[in-house]
Amino acid sequence: DGGITQSPKYLFRKEGQNVTLSCEQNLNHDAMYWYRQDPGQGLRLIYYSQIVNDFQKGDIAEGYSVSREKKESFPLTVTSAQKNPTAFYLCASAGTGLLNEQFFGPGTRLTVL
Amino acid sequence: KQEVTQIPAALSVPEGENLVLNCSFTDSAIYNLQWFRQDPGKGLTSLLLIQSSQREQTSGRLNASLDKSSGRSTLYIAASQPGDSATYLCAVRPLFNTGGFKTIFGAGTRLFVKA
């Protein structure tokens, strides 16, 4: 059963704490993405990766970090430098073939206490 | 810079109506356009993807059209049902990326179908 999984579903962070959001895919996709969604707004790109051991900053990368050590995994760390991290975080993947259709995980809701 | 706009932001219709959701984009140089559905608190589900060379795609009661020259796409939903209630997002992948497969999303149209 192919797809994208994200964990945890809900995450609470104290101020000054770093937290890591997990994203795993078994679709054999090369490209993976992290988006942030705030109420009433479209998705904003945080980081993306086209291939293992390579990733690029998106539009709102400040205060976030990622790694891509395996094709299947693209974890996102929200650092204490991110001043307003409360949001819904979505991970996606896409093949790099002709279609380039994006598929999304179920999301992680992060709340700062 | 590519911008994607969806109007209206919210829409309420009675069950059984046919309806059209609109998406406009500012730069016609696109690789593809994708329509998604999002239920509250959930991830996005891909509905239809239209390549730049295509004019429309159909899946069941859904039909999406693409007019690159005018920078518009529409999602037509036939015989709407309460289960269609969700937010519908339009996303454009520009033809020329500055460094990757970046996609630009609209803010979505929140649809409510009344029983």
Side-chain angles (χ1 to χ4, degrees):
Chain A
D1 193 20
I4 303 175
T5 58
Q6 290 186 242
S7 62
K9 186 174 182 179
Y10 299 98
L11 185 57
F12 298 91
R13 191 193 93 167
K14 295 180 181 179
E15 289 198 16
Q17 219 176 25
N18 292 353
V19 291
T20 297
L21 284 60
S22 169
C23 177
E24 304 274 335
Q25 54 98 0
N26 61 4
L27 301 168
N28 199 33
H29 285 163
D30 287 311
M32 296 187 74
Y33 311 80
W34 274 105
Y35 294 94
R36 170 180 172 142
Q37 187 177 36
D38 294 283
Q41 296 189 33
L43 276 66
R44 292 185 290 168
L45 183 64
I46 304 172
Y47 268 98
Y48 62 97
S49 169
Q50 297 181 70
I51 198 168
V52 174
N53 292 323
D54 183 66
F55 48 83
Q56 306 293 330
K57 292 182 179 180
D59 301 316
I60 55 165
E62 185 175 351
Y64 300 97
S65 66
V66 294
S67 63
R68 187 85 187 276
E69 298 176 0
K70 298 186 299 182
K71 187 176 185 177
E72 303 80 17
S73 178
F74 191 40
L76 173 74
T77 296
V78 184
T79 75
S80 57
Q82 170 51 237
K83 298 306 178 188
N84 185 24
T86 295
F88 190 50
Y89 291 86
L90 288 159
C91 178
S93 71
T96 50
L98 186 62
L99 285 181
N100 191 234
E101 185 174 4
Q102 284 200 31
F103 295 91
F104 281 79
T108 292
R109 184 164 299 280
L110 173 63
T111 303
V112 174
L113 302 174
Chain B
K1 180 183 176 183
Q2 179 73 270
E3 293 182 0
V4 179
T5 304
Q6 292 186 247
I7 295 174
L11 181 63
S12 180
V13 300
E15 181 178 8
E17 267 203 12
N18 302 324
L19 59 98
V20 173
L21 306 181
N22 297 296
C23 172
S24 61
F25 46 95
T26 54
D27 188 341
S28 62
I30 67 169
Y31 186 79
N32 62 37
L33 184 145
Q34 198 168 354
W35 281 94
F36 294 90
R37 168 188 173 135
Q38 185 177 30
D39 293 287
K42 306 290 186 183
L44 277 65
T45 299
S46 179
L47 297 174
L48 291 164
L49 181 145
I50 310 177
Q51 298 283 41
S52 63
S53 58
Q54 298 175 321
R55 294 299 299 258
E56 66 177 347
Q57 282 285 342
T58 298
S59 176
R61 294 183 294 110
L62 305 179
N63 176 276
S65 68
L66 174 64
D67 184 344
K68 278 196 310 179
S69 61
S70 66
R72 295 178 187 274
S73 176
T74 61
L75 179 66
Y76 175 82
I77 303 177
S80 59
Q81 304 169 358
D84 294 330
S85 299
T87 297
Y88 292 81
L89 294 100
C90 166
V92 165
R93 185 193 155 190
L95 185 59
F96 303 109
N97 285 305
T98 56
F101 301 98
K102 296 173 73 172
T103 302
I104 314 300
F105 286 82
T109 293
R110 185 179 299 176
L111 173 65
F112 180 63
V113 181
K114 297 173 287 187

